[in-house]
Amino acid sequence: MELKSIDFKSMSMCKSVSMEGLMKFSSSFLDSKLMFGVNVAPSFCSQRGLLTKASYSRTSYDATRSFSKKNFLEDIFSDKINGTNHTSLYFQDKWLLDASDDEYGGVLVNSDRLPSDPDKFAFVLRASLSHWKVKGKKGVWLKLPLEKCDLVPVAVKEGFQYHHAERGYVMMTYWIPEEPCMLPSNASHQVGVGGFVINDKNEVLVVQEKHFTPALSGLWKIPTGFIHESEEIFTGIVREVQEETGIDTEFVEVMAFRHVHDVAFQKSDLFFVCLLRPLSKQIMVDDLEIQNAKWMPLVEFVEQPLIQEDDMFKKIIDIFIARLGKRYCGLSVHQLVSKFDDKLSTLYFNTVDDPNLNCQAS
């Protein structure tokens, strides 16, 4: 077991002391440092010459024990060296947070092995920060599950900041070096999709949503939605169309995408307009989100006043019509593996396999 050495302001304190004197000093130290929440670099020093030619055996920490000052002192200061009980002023691994190194010189704290007691967590958090600083670590990532939300105020008090939150946890970060923080920010975008589905009768699949802004009242629009976590654009739009209308489709390509800022909680928005081919005809409306759905003639869809009065809608319709007239080609799906990360990625780009197909931009 690795031991973490700690120095005091006076090296004379490292001299041999009796167990009684040590416990009195340690009790006073804990009262002033731990119980009153003062930041401390919890490093202790050993008696001179005590560690030479010594073998160690330690008892692992019992998480079921209550976190009292008495138990804390017993765990830290009761060691066996060559079978004999001794007192050493060393900080043990078990009093540091369980963590692993990331590839950028930072630390990832193991959220499954966090203490439940806020007082104990406060102590080991301070100890760990001191240890990581000595080790030259940079960013600290601390994931606190919902069931351990009592630890959040402790982390905030020690200087941690919120990074992001999901349903079951909050992610917090701490930047150790005294230099500008290089940790990446939280995700800056949400990703939406919309699907143009047109059948062999030149009809477009359209919907009217139950919840809409007054400005869009009466508008028949293409099915839209958000991409889920770890979901591809081309599978997400197929799912959204099926959920809202019951129509099964096949993804063809991305025709265009829109980028806009400050949409929801200061986040930006990427919206991908996709072309899909219908595989079924019978509409089944999703009663939770959709008021109505139908197949609408393309001409009737294009002539809606709300579309004709909006530059963005008009341009999207122009692209769609150009695509139907084979005067424009969008971005099709190609899945490739990169040697940089050995992961399967989806690349969207324009390619023409049919030499008779005219795909010049409109």
Side-chain angles (χ1 to χ4, degrees):
M1 178 177 293
E2 184 184 359
L3 302 179
K4 313 305 173 188
S5 175
I6 306 189
D7 59 352
F8 289 110
K9 292 181 179 179
S10 173
M11 291 304 295
S12 63
M13 299 183 71
C14 295
K15 294 180 180 179
S16 298
V17 293
S18 66
M19 175 63 77
E20 181 181 1
L22 175 62
M23 296 297 283
K24 287 181 179 179
F25 163 76
S26 303
S27 177
S28 175
F29 176 80
L30 286 176
D31 285 339
S32 62
K33 301 298 185 182
L34 176 59
M35 300 308 164
F36 291 97
V38 179
N39 281 334
V40 11
S43 333
F44 297 148
C45 54
S46 72
Q47 297 173 325
R48 184 184 300 272
L50 182 63
L51 301 182
T52 58
K53 299 181 180 178
S55 62
Y56 289 76
S57 64
R58 301 184 187 276
T59 303
S60 60
Y61 177 72
D62 183 358
T64 62
R65 298 179 64 186
S66 62
F67 184 65
S68 67
K69 183 167 59 182
K70 179 177 180 295
N71 288 342
F72 173 80
L73 293 172
E74 288 176 356
D75 280 335
I76 286 187
F77 298 117
S78 297
D79 298 325
K80 283 189 177 182
I81 302 178
N82 293 330
T84 305
N85 287 327
H86 290 274
T87 298
S88 67
L89 294 177
Y90 267 85
F91 203 75
Q92 305 176 24
D93 277 346
K94 65 185 178 183
W95 290 105
L96 297 176
L97 290 172
D98 183 50
S100 58
D101 296 340
D102 66 23
E103 57 184 309
Y104 303 104
V107 176
L108 304 173
V109 178
N110 185 351
S111 61
D112 294 329
R113 299 188 63 183
L114 291 170
S116 297
D117 186 277
D119 288 333
K120 179 184 175 184
F121 176 67
F123 186 89
V124 295
L125 181 59
R126 295 168 193 161
S128 300
L129 289 173
S130 297
H131 171 63
W132 294 328
K133 184 174 183 179
V134 171
K135 291 287 188 179
K137 298 302 179 182
K138 296 181 179 180
V140 180
W141 296 87
L142 176 63
K143 181 180 179 181
L144 296 178
L146 188 62
E147 61 270 19
K148 293 187 177 179
C149 60
D150 289 346
L151 305 183
V152 172
V154 178
V156 170
K157 187 175 181 180
E158 295 306 316
F160 277 78
Q161 296 181 335
Y162 297 120
H163 187 268
H164 68 273
E166 296 291 344
R167 291 180 182 271
Y169 71 87
V170 59
M171 181 68 78
M172 306 186 74
T173 59
Y174 186 97
W175 184 251
I176 296 176
E178 295 181 0
E179 59 186 41
C181 178
M182 299 300 292
L183 293 176
S185 299
N186 182 26
S188 60
H189 286 67
Q190 62 183 17
V191 180
V193 286
F196 270 99
V197 184
I198 189 163
N199 61 20
D200 53 8
K201 297 180 181 179
N202 223 27
E203 296 173 327
V204 181
L205 181 63
V206 293
V207 300
Q208 285 184 330
E209 296 180 339
K210 283 189 174 182
H211 310 286
F212 53 84
T213 61
L216 299 180
S217 178
L219 175 67
W220 288 93
K221 58 184 284 293
I222 60 176
T224 60
F226 289 107
I227 295 297
H228 292 171
E229 184 177 353
S230 301
E231 185 177 42
E232 296 281 0
I233 293 172
F234 70 92
T235 56
I237 184 56
V238 169
R239 173 188 54 77
E240 280 290 345
V241 170
Q242 205 284 328
E243 288 177 355
E244 292 189 358
T245 68
I247 297 295
D248 296 321
T249 61
E250 178 185 8
F251 176 86
V252 178
E253 63 189 28
V254 172
M255 295 192 298
F257 68 89
R258 180 206 65 178
H259 192 201
V260 65
H261 306 289
D262 199 18
V263 174
F265 303 103
Q266 292 76 54
K267 299 299 182 183
S268 299
D269 179 270
L270 281 169
F271 183 79
F272 292 85
V273 183
C274 305
L275 178 64
L276 298 100
R277 183 179 298 111
L279 301 177
S280 62
K281 298 179 180 179
Q282 187 64 40
I283 293 176
M284 292 179 289
V285 173
D286 174 19
D287 293 332
L288 293 177
E289 296 184 72
I290 304 302
Q291 184 69 37
N292 201 357
K294 66 179 182 179
W295 292 100
M296 175 181 279
L298 176 59
V299 174
E300 184 179 339
F301 173 72
V302 171
E303 290 178 350
Q304 292 183 94
L306 286 175
I307 289 181
Q308 290 298 317
E309 295 168 2
D310 187 274
D311 291 339
M312 179 72 70
F313 279 145
K314 285 179 63 177
K315 177 53 67 175
I316 291 175
I317 293 298
D318 288 345
I319 293 172
F320 177 55
I321 293 176
R323 178 63 181 90
L324 295 180
K326 298 183 179 181
R327 294 178 288 108
Y328 174 91
C329 280
L331 309 177
S332 54
V333 173
H334 306 268
Q335 293 192 304
L336 307 166
V337 176
S338 171
K339 290 185 177 180
F340 287 103
D341 55 14
D342 292 324
K343 292 182 178 180
L344 182 66
S345 299
T346 303
L347 191 63
Y348 294 82
F349 61 90
N350 186 317
T351 182
V352 181
D353 295 327
D354 186 354
N356 299 318
L357 183 62
N358 183 1
C359 282
Q360 295 179 355
S362 173

